[in-house]
Amino acid sequence: MVKAAPLANLSTAFLSLSPPLDTAATTRSSSNALPPISESSSSPQKPQQQSHADLVSAMTENGTLLHPVLERHVGTDFNVGEVTSSAAPSAVPSAAASVSGDASNDDDDDTNLEDADDNSSASEAVPKIVACGKGGALYLPAIFSKVIELSGTDAPNIVYIGTASFDADKNYLRHSEEFASRGGCEVRRLDVSEPHTVPPTEEMRRLVVDWADVLVCSGGNTLHALLRWKETGLDLLMKEAAQNGTVLCGGSAGAGCWFNSMHSDSLRPDNVKHPSRVKAVLDEDELEDWDYVKISGLGIVPGPDFMAVPHFDRTGTNGMERSEHAEQVLVETEGEVPGALGIDNNAAIVIEGDMAMVVSGDGEATCHVVIADEETGETSTAPLVPQEELVPFEELVDLVKPATADHLETLEEHVATDFGIAEDLLEPALSNTNANAEDAPASADQEEQVSNVKIVAAGRMKALQMPAVFEKVIELSGKDQPKIVYIGTASFDRTDKFNVCTKAFRELECEIERLDVSESDTVPSMEEMRRLVVDWADVLLCSGGNTLHGLLRWKETGLDLLMKEAAEQGTVLCGGSAGAGCWFNSIHSDSLRPDNVKNAECVKNELDDEDLIDWDFVKISGLGIIPAMCVPHFETTGTNEVARSEHAEQVLVDSEDNDPAIGIDENAALVVDGDMAMVVSGDGEATCHVVIADEETGETITEPIEPDGEMVLLEELMDVQS
């Protein structure tokens, strides 16, 4: 890599602000400190001419402002290249894919770096990054636990790199105390802010590449840190460590440095080693007279070249909001930067290979995606929902709108579309239900007509994770670890929804295949779909989401007919919400809800409250297996402020068919096995309800079904006496 050209001598005509160099501060009393480095053992990569560090040191002694020097390097390229791995996690996490937390450091001599464990692994995904909005957020439990988890050991070796904070002792002590108090981690510091503290390259390699499990970089002046890392060669050692699986983490400057570019306050006058001295000399107007800048980062983060914006929810001392200025920067780059990732102070983006997740440290803070329209210059910002598991990074930051209006207008045209393809699946069983022939032996023909249909329809997807409901799926499959085909069409094949829907099955170590047909470019061949759905699967698991979108895609791809074929041979059909209603003759649906689209977060951020509540429930056709209208989320009220149960009653009164409705509370499920059925409560309180309408009077009757654990005839279950 070509290093930065040495700087010319700096004029010392600037205002004197900084105190003399405190050489005593470079002597470390901590047992974890690096040994003193003599001038003769300085880094062999030190430039022959005056370096940035020499100038910083001279300015400390002579008293000059730092930001004029840094301003020359705003356009410097610090990129060392992406760290990628062929072993990065798949977009479909397997049941066994998890980060081990029981590894340990077997090194008996904690001071012997040469005997330290090799933390590299050919099988792990790299890079591993935890980037926080501010440095202190790193120690919020939800975020700190991710650092430990990614390290693969309960007490990882920590190398603290405080270059951005000018190797200030107080910052090192704060970080080391946090790690030491949370599991006894050993922390060693690496000081390279000034030339006389830089260890030899061999020593830095032993610390950074061979010994460390985690590199913690401080907040502070990012541009200063990047210049010093480039001058000393530490940047390349960081890349090498990242390639080996070492966790890279930090907040503010220690977060943005890993990205391709960063929104920075490095030119803030008091963003120096001794800010109090600057504040004491400059007046308020001078302290506020500075601009944010976009600077290069190390470029280690894989995927889209997004600009990191730490402190996204904060306003700088220049009176400018970070978020607003970041939008302006994107517009000015004219497409050079595809987007920005804003990180609130108490949030973090966690990256492992090409996967990522948002973690909130306080339950409210999050990350945001900002994109700019090259033609109009308008920007769009959307908050990201914190996840419990990793999703593909490119999917996480994808804000290509599926559409709000256009998509819903297209769906509205299909509200009356008939998706029924399986009305006959239960007919043989139901027609054989004869009270007068209970004791009569079944003929061979009658036995052949018994339905194989097996369905678990839950009020919402999370109900399928509840033991009482989940166990019914396993029981109906007839296997301890059934093979699962996940069909996430209704949720637009989003990986975060896959994670939620399959969690219990992955914990059981079931083999799971994912079938994505929401977009035309992901649809497998008909032969491959048949292999999965008809020949391989024991269970078809359908997500919640936009039922009408799901049904349309299934009809267009022929997947609906494969589902029918699978049902005929006894494959279990299950799901929650949309994944429950699709199996019925009809569904009471919120498919026309404005934010019931792929990028719901973006829509919610763009529409006002009135637009978000201006929608109606609709009755749409289902695949037609269960002869009733399904009303999932029965006990809830929609965002349109209409109660599901009340609107479903009105739909029945207005309906031309005589089908009853089965309302399914969110934490309940209807279980169907042939012509038999039962209600299962996931929480001991939720249940199902039967609703019928009197055609003559227009009145409706609603009766709850007791979840007594007993199978009854489906016809009897739906029979309500007026």
Side-chain angles (χ1 to χ4, degrees):
M1 177 176 178
V2 179
K3 292 295 175 182
L7 300 174
N9 291 336
L10 175 71
S11 169
T12 58
F14 299 105
L15 183 64
S16 176
L17 297 172
S18 302
L21 177 65
D22 181 7
T23 55
T26 62
T27 303
R28 315 301 184 192
S29 59
S30 168
S31 61
N32 290 329
L34 292 171
I37 303 298
S38 66
E39 186 67 28
S40 62
S41 63
S42 302
S43 169
Q45 298 189 42
K46 181 178 177 181
Q48 296 298 314
Q49 299 183 25
Q50 194 172 27
S51 70
H52 167 73
D54 293 326
L55 290 173
V56 172
S57 180
M59 285 187 292
T60 306
E61 294 175 342
N62 299 326
T64 58
L65 283 174
L66 176 60
H67 68 268
V69 176
L70 292 177
E71 195 166 7
R72 301 179 181 184
H73 290 275
V74 167
T76 299
D77 183 5
F78 300 105
N79 195 300
V80 295
E82 284 186 9
V83 170
T84 58
S85 169
S86 59
S90 164
V92 185
S94 67
S98 62
V99 179
S100 171
D102 57 3
S104 61
N105 188 344
D106 298 328
D107 189 6
D108 293 328
D109 181 4
D110 291 338
T111 63
N112 187 349
L113 295 179
E114 294 189 6
D115 293 335
D117 290 335
D118 180 5
N119 63 8
S120 65
S121 171
S123 63
E124 61 188 352
V126 294
K128 300 176 181 179
I129 297 172
V130 179
C132 308
K134 67 174 183 178
L138 192 64
Y139 304 107
L140 296 171
I143 298 175
F144 185 81
S145 64
K146 288 298 175 184
V147 177
I148 302 302
E149 178 184 320
L150 286 179
S151 76
T153 177
D154 294 335
N157 294 331
I158 312 296
V159 168
Y160 171 76
I161 302 172
T163 322
S165 57
F166 302 89
D167 294 330
D169 287 328
K170 65 177 183 179
N171 289 8
Y172 161 71
L173 292 173
R174 177 168 63 90
H175 284 278
S176 62
E177 287 171 1
E178 290 284 1
F179 274 99
S181 66
R182 298 167 185 264
C185 301
E186 184 176 357
V187 184
R188 303 192 179 189
R189 67 187 291 173
L190 177 56
D191 292 353
V192 300
S193 183
E194 298 183 21
H196 61 279
T197 64
V198 179
T201 300
E202 295 75 13
E203 178 70 7
M204 289 197 293
R205 173 179 292 279
R206 284 195 296 157
L207 270 179
V208 173
V209 179
D210 301 331
W211 184 80
D213 298 309
V214 178
L215 301 183
V216 180
C217 292
S218 71
N221 196 306
T222 322
L223 192 48
H224 166 70
L226 289 164
L227 279 165
R228 289 301 297 139
W229 298 344
K230 190 178 184 77
E231 288 179 345
T232 61
L234 180 55
D235 54 352
L236 297 179
L237 295 178
M238 286 175 166
K239 177 180 180 180
E240 190 174 345
Q243 190 72 59
N244 290 343
T246 301
V247 180
L248 315 176
C249 67
S252 188
C257 62
W258 314 117
F259 286 75
N260 193 61
S261 61
M262 177 186 175
H263 184 264
S264 174
D265 64 353
S266 290
L267 301 187
R268 197 181 76 232
D270 58 340
N271 196 353
V272 294
K273 184 173 184 178
H274 301 287
S276 60
R277 293 302 180 102
V278 176
K279 292 177 180 179
V281 176
L282 296 185
D283 61 29
E284 187 173 331
D285 289 341
E286 290 171 319
L287 287 171
E288 295 176 357
D289 186 19
W290 60 276
D291 292 315
Y292 292 113
V293 288
K294 171 185 166 287
I295 61 175
S296 165
L298 296 176
I300 291 176
V301 173
D305 292 334
F306 270 43
M307 174 179 70
V309 189
H311 311 287
F312 189 76
D313 52 346
R314 293 295 186 266
T315 299
T317 58
N318 58 1
M320 294 197 68
E321 295 182 5
R322 285 262 192 173
S323 56
E324 289 187 5
H325 191 269
E327 293 176 352
Q328 180 182 326
V329 169
L330 287 187
V331 172
E332 292 173 352
T333 63
E334 298 181 343
E336 177 187 341
V337 179
L341 183 68
I343 311 173
D344 288 345
N345 261 15
N346 288 335
I349 182 77
V350 177
I351 297 170
E352 185 176 6
D354 60 358
M355 309 289 280
M357 65 187 293
V358 174
V359 178
S360 177
D362 60 10
E364 296 181 2
T366 189
C367 294
H368 311 255
V369 171
V370 188
I371 58 172
D373 189 306
E374 296 180 35
E375 296 181 0
T376 65
E378 295 180 354
T379 58
S380 177
T381 301
L384 300 175
V385 177
Q387 293 86 30
E388 295 182 1
E389 298 182 65
L390 296 162
V391 301
F393 188 31
E394 292 200 16
E395 182 179 319
L396 185 71
V397 299
D398 177 24
L399 262 188
V400 179
K401 298 178 189 175
T404 50
D406 291 346
H407 186 66
L408 294 178
E409 287 173 6
T410 301
L411 286 181
E412 196 165 6
E413 297 173 3
H414 292 276
V415 167
T417 299
D418 183 5
F419 299 104
I421 47 89
E423 295 91 341
D424 57 335
L425 286 185
L426 280 179
E427 285 181 2
L430 294 178
S431 64
N432 287 335
T433 304
N434 188 333
N436 296 324
E438 287 183 359
D439 298 327
S443 67
D445 290 340
Q446 287 174 326
E447 288 180 356
E448 289 178 1
Q449 288 181 326
V450 172
S451 170
N452 287 324
V453 169
K454 299 174 182 178
I455 297 174
V456 179
R460 62 172 181 160
M461 277 308 310
K462 288 187 176 180
L464 275 174
Q465 313 302 313
M466 296 178 170
V469 179
F470 174 74
E471 288 166 5
K472 284 298 175 185
V473 178
I474 304 303
E475 178 185 318
L476 287 179
S477 76
K479 297 182 178 180
D480 294 335
Q481 293 174 305
K483 291 176 288 189
I484 314 296
V485 167
Y486 170 79
I487 303 171
T489 324
S491 58
F492 302 89
D493 295 329
R494 283 178 52 152
T495 302
D496 56 344
K497 306 302 181 185
F498 166 88
N499 290 338
V500 171
C501 296
T502 61
K503 183 177 181 180
F505 295 100
R506 286 182 286 123
E507 289 175 349
L508 189 61
E509 297 186 353
C510 296
E511 190 174 353
I512 302 173
E513 292 282 353
R514 175 172 166 172
L515 179 54
D516 292 351
V517 301
S518 182
E519 305 287 343
S520 57
D521 59 350
T522 63
V523 180
S525 66
M526 182 60 71
E527 292 74 15
E528 176 63 11
M529 288 198 293
R530 172 177 293 279
R531 182 191 70 80
L532 282 175
V533 173
V534 179
D535 302 331
W536 185 82
D538 299 310
V539 175
L540 300 184
L541 172 61
C542 293
S543 73
N546 194 307
T547 322
L548 191 48
H549 170 72
L551 289 164
L552 277 168
R553 291 301 297 149
W554 297 345
K555 189 178 185 75
E556 289 171 350
T557 61
L559 180 55
D560 54 351
L561 298 178
L562 295 178
M563 287 175 164
K564 175 182 179 181
E565 193 173 341
E568 288 174 336
Q569 64 187 27
T571 302
V572 181
L573 316 175
C574 69
S577 188
C582 61
W583 315 117
F584 287 69
N585 275 359
S586 59
I587 313 113
H588 183 265
S589 174
D590 65 352
S591 291
L592 301 186
R593 196 181 77 231
D595 59 335
N596 197 351
V597 292
K598 181 177 182 179
N599 296 77
E601 296 85 356
C602 183
V603 175
K604 289 178 181 178
N605 200 57
E606 291 185 340
L607 298 184
D608 59 29
D609 291 342
E610 290 185 3
D611 290 330
L612 286 171
I613 65 173
D614 186 19
W615 61 275
D616 294 313
F617 289 113
V618 289
K619 176 188 176 186
I620 61 176
S621 164
L623 296 178
I625 300 176
I626 299 175
M629 178 178 75
C630 179
V631 189
H633 312 282
F634 187 73
E635 80 279 34
T636 66
T637 297
T639 58
N640 58 0
E641 301 178 353
V642 175
R644 286 258 192 177
S645 57
E646 292 181 7
H647 191 270
E649 292 176 352
Q650 185 59 48
V651 169
L652 283 188
V653 171
D654 297 339
S655 178
E656 296 181 358
D657 58 49
N658 296 319
D659 284 347
I662 296 183
I664 309 176
D665 289 344
E666 290 207 323
N667 290 338
L670 177 70
V671 178
V672 175
D673 187 3
D675 61 343
M676 307 294 285
M678 66 185 296
V679 172
V680 176
S681 177
D683 60 11
E685 297 181 3
T687 189
C688 295
H689 312 257
V690 175
V691 187
I692 62 169
D694 189 304
E695 297 179 26
E696 297 180 1
T697 65
E699 295 180 354
T700 58
I701 300 173
T702 300
E703 286 190 5
I705 306 170
E706 183 69 25
D708 56 10
E710 297 294 328
M711 282 279 192
V712 299
L713 291 169
L714 179 59
E715 283 187 334
E716 291 181 9
L717 187 99
M718 295 189 297
D719 184 28
V720 174
Q721 300 298 321
S722 59

